Amino acid sequence: MTKARGKLIVLEGAEGVGKTTQLRRLADTLTARGVPHRGVREPGGTAIGNQIRHLLLEPGPGFSARTEALLFMASRAELVETDIRPALARGEVVLADRFFLSTYAYQIAGRGLSETEVTAANRFATGGLVPDLTILLRLSVAAALARTDSRGARDRIESASDDFHHRVAEAFDRFAEPTWQRSHPESGPVMAVDAAGSVDEVAAAVLTTLEQTWPETFRPAVGSHS
Ligand code: Z5A
């Protein structure tokens, strides 16, 4: 019997909304429930992807918006080919810290690149892989900044202008709209979760979203205590 394909679940949102924290929490819960899974992050997650991540985020020579977009998608291409697709084929749940919606928010809305061209380039990079679900963590810009500023120095993209971050934040807001999702099938379904609560509260909301969408995969087995 062929194994059922796994699920690609993406956590998205602007910097500081709590994606990495929630991805770890979710991974712990899936471990406790015996659900095979793996976590990946973008950019990075592979040997070449980690080198690209360094180029993209660390201070260094500047590059054009097109080069930036292609580097993000090169990192994604490698991750999809060598890690995500094999894991999905093994029937695992893949938890991704960012995916194409980040390119949409930062490179299309933020940098002003062509939606048609970047979407086509992304399709080439991913071979047409679409997330099964994106959980969009929503938090006010001020609250998210307060969380990231406690961390110290900003990276190359975090240091961009306020206008840029405004356009990015507006784009993330649009992703939650059903009309936007219907006209952007390459992004897959998106469900918004309020990220303003405590880590435990947000983790419970994320888990509930997944349990309601796929009870057979995410609900604890009868007799389990997790
Ligand atoms: N980028 C792009 O431009 N195009 C693309 O296609 C892709 C990415 C894929 C990646 O940066 C950068 O690349 C990113 C977008 C761009 N840049 N920007 N700007 P990254 O991987 O280094 O970082 P990030 O993705 O922006 O993640 P982040 O800043 O670390 O944010 P986060 O993962 O959403 O948050 P966190 O690390 O889980 O939490 C941040 C802090 O808040 C931390 O101290 C936590 O302990 C705290 N926290 C988390 N949750 C809570 C709650 N609920 N209450 C209180 N405090 C909390």
Side-chain angles (χ1 to χ4, degrees):
M1 202 170 82
T2 346
K3 205 163 207 169
R5 177 189 171 281
K7 291 179 178 52
L8 174 57
I9 312 289
V10 180
L11 288 175
E12 278 285 7
E15 49 277 22
V17 295
K19 300 176 294 298
T20 309
T21 305
Q22 291 304 327
L23 195 145
R24 289 196 188 121
R25 288 293 294 262
L26 190 51
D28 289 346
T29 304
L30 296 188
T31 301
R33 293 185 181 182
V35 179
H37 65 279
R38 59 184 291 100
V40 297
R41 73 162 177 185
E42 285 207 19
T46 62
I48 191 76
N50 287 334
Q51 292 187 25
I52 295 173
R53 180 181 176 88
H54 185 80
L55 276 176
L56 279 165
L57 301 183
E58 297 305 317
F63 33 74
S64 73
R66 280 167 187 263
T67 305
E68 178 182 271
L70 288 168
L71 285 171
F72 277 113
M73 288 184 280
S75 171
R76 180 169 309 140
E78 188 68 11
L79 187 65
V80 166
E81 178 93 12
T82 65
D83 193 320
I84 297 179
R85 281 193 188 278
L88 292 175
R90 290 192 300 269
E92 295 177 15
V93 171
V94 178
L95 305 172
D97 195 336
R98 296 189 181 275
F99 203 65
F100 176 55
L101 283 181
S102 282
T103 311
Y104 203 104
Y106 292 90
Q107 278 67 53
I108 297 175
R111 301 285 191 220
L113 291 177
S114 152
E115 174 177 334
T116 312
E117 289 175 356
V118 175
T119 301
N122 183 66
R123 200 175 307 123
F124 175 69
T126 61
L129 181 67
V130 172
D132 294 282
L133 180 66
T134 295
I135 295 183
L136 179 65
L137 296 179
R138 300 183 83 178
L139 188 63
S140 72
V141 175
L145 268 182
R147 287 183 188 174
T148 48
D149 275 351
S150 63
R151 222 169 28 191
R154 297 180 171 194
D155 67 31
R156 205 180 57 79
I157 290 179
E158 283 169 345
S159 311
S161 70
D162 286 352
D163 274 1
F164 171 86
H165 286 291
H166 221 80
R167 291 194 292 278
V168 169
E170 280 175 0
F172 276 120
D173 280 344
R174 279 200 299 279
F175 301 155
E177 294 167 8
T179 44
W180 189 91
Q181 291 175 38
R182 275 196 293 278
S183 55
H184 294 81
E186 66 283 349
S187 301
V190 181
M191 288 189 190
V193 163
D194 181 7
S198 68
V199 171
D200 283 350
E201 286 166 343
V202 181
V206 167
L207 195 55
T208 300
T209 302
L210 292 173
E211 286 176 346
Q212 286 174 349
T213 310
W214 293 288
E216 69 289 359
T217 305
F218 292 102
R219 286 227 173 109
V222 179
S224 138
H225 296 291
S226 54

